[in-house]
Amino acid sequence: MVYSMTGYGKGNLVLNGRDITVEVKSVNHRYFEYTGRMSRAYSFLDDKIKKEVQSMISRGKVEVSLMINYTQKSDTRITADITLAKRYYEALQRIAYSLDITLNASVKELSKFDGVLTRTRTEEDADALWNDVNIVLHKAMDGFLEMRKAEGEKLKEDVLSRLVTIENILGEIEIEAPLRVQAYREKLY
């Protein structure tokens, strides 16, 4: 079986309150090269995904994207660091005073400063999350491998048709070659 190194596969399932999407793309490359794209919150899954993908393919430049959205109410808490917000506001006031301009800072603008608002979520069960992601990863890999197989068959047909063309031309050359030698001899004399 001939497989192409270019391919694409996508898997999407809603499991345990999470809408999980995995996309796998690859292009031709001499060795296996992996790139994972995912939120930093899920970067602990990167090595597991790489090992799983590498167990199924050995060559190609592969990019895997992981997206997880929660469909159920999450246990996320948003906390505000009021002291830090005051410090930012006081610093902005000093800047405005020293430049002799009016300060137009709003709560919304202050909340955008680093550390003013923090989001914390209760710890997820990493093994349960990996099991769900792995199911979706395999679904994406099934589509990916199917596309590589179909592309490989097209490449095989193309190479075989070119081989037939080359064999036909070679047959013509074999017929013409002795006549060419005779024609050169006649030109020389």
Side-chain angles (χ1 to χ4, degrees):
M1 183 64 53
V2 177
Y3 287 92
S4 171
M5 276 194 260
T6 58
Y8 174 82
K10 182 176 181 178
N12 180 264
L13 289 172
V14 177
L15 300 168
N16 299 317
R18 294 182 287 256
D19 182 8
I20 303 171
T21 303
V22 175
E23 292 182 358
V24 181
K25 298 183 248 185
S26 77
V27 293
N28 190 6
H29 195 65
R30 187 172 180 183
Y31 304 105
F32 178 80
E33 185 179 318
Y34 169 85
T35 305
R37 291 184 19 191
M38 62 198 70
S39 169
R40 280 186 24 202
Y42 305 112
S43 61
F44 68 95
L45 296 172
D46 199 40
D47 283 340
K48 292 180 180 185
I49 293 171
K50 179 181 179 180
K51 287 177 185 174
E52 199 67 30
V53 170
Q54 195 169 17
S55 72
M56 294 183 228
I57 59 172
S58 59
R59 290 182 61 195
K61 187 173 185 177
V62 181
E63 181 181 301
V64 178
S65 299
L66 170 66
M67 293 160 280
I68 301 175
N69 294 312
Y70 288 85
T71 58
Q72 296 175 352
K73 183 181 174 187
S74 71
D75 297 333
T76 303
R77 289 183 348 148
I78 307 292
T79 55
D81 188 341
I82 303 300
T83 306
L84 183 60
K86 283 181 183 178
R87 288 185 192 149
Y88 277 123
Y89 185 74
E90 289 166 359
L92 291 173
Q93 282 180 321
R94 284 191 302 273
I95 292 170
Y97 178 76
S98 66
L99 297 176
D100 195 29
I101 58 174
T102 58
L103 177 62
N104 295 327
S106 69
V107 174
K108 183 178 179 181
E109 290 168 339
L110 282 173
S111 69
K112 293 179 182 178
F113 285 111
D114 193 35
V116 173
L117 294 178
T118 55
R119 183 175 71 173
T120 56
R121 189 175 355 179
T122 57
E123 279 295 314
E124 286 190 82
D125 181 6
D127 292 333
L129 178 61
W130 166 242
N131 289 336
D132 292 347
V133 168
N134 196 24
I135 290 168
V136 179
L137 175 63
H138 277 269
K139 183 177 179 185
M141 287 300 294
D142 289 344
F144 170 78
L145 293 172
E146 190 61 38
M147 184 177 189
R148 285 182 68 188
K149 181 180 177 183
E151 182 80 19
E153 286 301 314
K154 288 178 186 175
L155 289 172
K156 179 182 174 184
E157 289 173 15
D158 183 50
V159 169
L160 290 176
S161 72
R162 291 173 190 262
L163 183 61
V164 168
T165 303
I166 291 170
E167 286 175 342
N168 290 339
I169 292 172
L170 184 61
E172 292 173 14
I173 291 172
E174 288 174 344
I175 293 170
E176 296 288 327
L179 300 175
R180 287 276 180 211
V181 172
Q182 183 64 30
Y184 285 135
R185 274 191 192 137
E186 289 175 4
K187 279 186 179 180
L188 288 174
Y189 291 111

